[in-house]
Amino acid sequence: EIEKVRNRRRDRELHLEEMERIRAEESKMKELEHYDEWARKEEAFHLQQQRQRSAIRLVEGREKAVDVLAQNILLFGARNNEDEENA
């Protein structure tokens, strides 16, 4: 009878360890999903800020070479879109 109790206790401990491992794994997966979402938002925010800084420099006449390049791409891209719509 003592042996049965020991076996049940061991089985219960193994079950609890397995449950804890599963919880930890699920928690890790949720954290990774949350981090991926945060990283995408962070990247979008930095891109928006970069565009705003570029626009401000262009307006104030302090443009850098990359600002002029971006402006030309936007202008020619807009023209190409208009040409495609007119065709």
Side-chain angles (χ1 to χ4, degrees), residues 9-70:
R9 181 181 294 158
R10 183 175 42 86
D11 290 343
R12 188 179 72 222
E13 288 175 0
L14 290 174
H15 179 70
L16 290 175
E17 287 175 7
E18 180 68 17
M19 292 298 288
E20 183 61 32
R21 185 187 65 78
I22 290 172
R23 280 190 204 113
E25 207 171 286
E26 289 175 353
S27 175
K28 183 188 277 187
M29 293 299 288
K30 285 182 182 180
E31 186 67 29
L32 286 173
E33 288 175 13
H34 180 68
Y35 177 76
D36 287 343
E37 180 182 336
W38 176 81
R40 283 191 297 274
K41 286 181 180 179
E42 179 87 6
E43 186 65 31
F45 171 77
H46 285 293
L47 184 59
Q48 178 187 13
Q49 291 296 308
Q50 197 172 31
R51 288 178 180 162
Q52 286 179 348
R53 285 191 300 270
S54 179
I56 290 170
R57 285 193 300 261
L58 285 168
V59 168
E60 293 178 353
R62 305 179 293 118
E63 62 269 352
K64 295 182 179 180
V66 71
D67 297 333
V68 174
L69 179 63

